[in-house]
Structure formats: C-alpha cells, structure tokens
Amino acid sequence: GRIITPLKDRLGSQVRTHYPPTLDHEMAIVRQEKHRFGVEDGAPPVVVPPFMEELVAELTHLARRSPEISQRSGVSVRVSVANAEVLEAAALKRAVRPGEPLGSPRVSDLGALVATTARKVVLESIGDGPRDERIV
C-alpha cells in the first residue's frame, strides 16, 4: 500500500509492503482477518470448502495482474477478506432460514463477489468501455 508523504516525513522512515506471494499466504491471511459470523449467537457454523477459499484468493491475484484495474491503487488482501465474508454470509443466511445445523457456500454464491470486488478496486480510465461488473 501507499503511505501519504506527510506521514512518511513524520515517521522519518520508509515502510515497504507487499502482497501475499502465493494463494496459500493469501488464504491464511483471510482466515486470520475475516469476521466470524454468529456462532456465539447460536447461529450454525459455516464450513468453507478449500476450493472456495482458493477461488476467492485467485480472484484477487488475477485482479492484481489485470491491466483494466489500477495497479497504482493496488488490490489489497481486503478484497479477499470482504469476498470471503460475503460468501460466508450467504451460506449462513441460507442455513438459518430452514434451521439447518451447518452452512456452506455454494458455487452459485460466487456471483455476489462481483459487487464486493467492484467496490474495492479502482478501474483504469475506461471512457465508454465496459462497466465495472463486466470487468470484474
């Protein structure tokens, strides 16, 4: 990420940051940082299959390499965290309605990630080009 110049001057140092180099690193950070939904409130636990976690991380890694997404603004791990939370929220909602004891995201829930991803990235100037959702 970037630190604004006045803050760098106050700190008198330079902080170098980087994105997780692998999907495994990205997924570990997401597991650590995402909000845990409702288990303490009596809601059913949500189990996310490893392939779904990998899809969420891969989406972010692809965005980091996309020429249509501003690489200057960057695509942080927060995109993966937000997407993981949306995926789990969809699974929890589906489990709570019929009173199921366990929730799990489905492939059909991946469509919800378009909106969260589009809100977390900055697109390059596209003029009359495709809309955010289509690019994502």
Side-chain angles (χ1 to χ4, degrees):
R2 296 179 63 206
I3 297 177
I4 61 172
T5 304
L7 289 179
K8 281 194 274 189
D9 293 343
R10 288 182 198 149
L11 295 172
S13 63
Q14 183 177 12
V15 179
R16 293 188 183 270
T17 61
H18 60 86
Y19 298 121
T22 67
L23 293 180
D24 289 334
H25 286 110
E26 184 107 11
M27 291 184 297
I29 293 168
V30 169
R31 282 185 215 110
Q32 174 185 309
E33 297 299 324
K34 70 182 174 185
H35 175 75
R36 310 285 189 278
F37 289 99
V39 176
E40 62 278 348
D41 299 328
V46 174
V47 176
V48 181
F51 79 93
M52 293 293 269
E53 289 181 330
E54 190 173 334
L55 282 170
V56 168
E58 181 65 27
L59 175 65
T60 306
H61 276 244
L62 289 171
R64 288 185 188 127
R65 296 189 301 264
S66 173
E68 295 170 318
I69 295 175
S70 171
Q71 300 308 308
R72 182 171 179 196
S73 296
V75 181
S76 77
V77 177
R78 288 187 300 260
V79 174
S80 293
V81 171
N83 284 341
E85 290 174 349
V86 165
L87 208 56
E88 288 190 33
L92 180 61
K93 179 175 148 183
R94 190 175 30 262
V96 167
R97 284 183 177 163
E100 294 177 355
L102 185 68
S104 185
R106 298 179 182 170
V107 173
S108 60
D109 296 327
L110 292 172
L113 304 188
V114 172
T116 51
T117 302
R119 288 184 181 98
K120 294 273 185 194
V121 299
V122 176
L123 299 179
E124 290 292 342
S125 179
I126 56 176
D128 293 331
R131 296 181 40 151
D132 298 4
E133 293 84 15
R134 190 172 105 35
I135 289 172
V136 173

